[in-house]
């Protein structure tokens, strides 16, 4: 893509101003699987600590998309 000053720039690469946003969104996307992997094994501990039934603990986990 030609810029007004005559330089050529790739459309696929964001400019430096928006690069932090792309990196931030990438990092935030990686947190979803990580948090689920830490949360699910703790169900039994949560059930014992809260003195409740495991099905009620399962309600705290959102359904799959």
């Amino acid at each position: 893509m030609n810029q007004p000053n005559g330089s050529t720039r790739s459309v696929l690469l964001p400019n430096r101003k928006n690069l932090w946003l792309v990196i931030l969104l990438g990092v935030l996307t990686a947190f979803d699987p990580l948090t689920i992997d830490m949360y699910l094994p703790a169900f039994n501990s949560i059930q014992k600590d809260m003195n409740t039934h495991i099905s009620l603990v399962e309600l705290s986990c959102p359904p799959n998309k």
Side-chain angles (χ1 to χ4, degrees), residues 15-36:
N15 59 20
R16 287 181 171 234
K17 198 175 187 182
N18 294 330
L19 185 60
W20 69 270
L21 181 62
V22 172
I23 292 171
L24 177 66
L25 290 175
V27 169
L28 289 176
T29 321
F31 275 114
D32 188 36
L34 178 65
T35 55
I36 289 295

Side-chain angles (χ1 to χ4, degrees), residues 1-11 13 15:
M1 172 181 270
N2 288 332
Q3 300 293 322
N5 62 5
S7 66
T8 304
R9 188 172 168 274
S10 174
V11 178
L13 296 176
N15 59 20

Side-chain angles (χ1 to χ4, degrees), residues 4 8 17 22 31 34-35 42 45-46 50-52 55-56 60-61:
T8 304
K17 198 175 187 182
V22 172
F31 275 114
L34 178 65
T35 55
S45 299
I46 295 171
M50 298 291 199
N51 195 24
T52 186
S55 64
L56 295 174
S60 66
C61 190

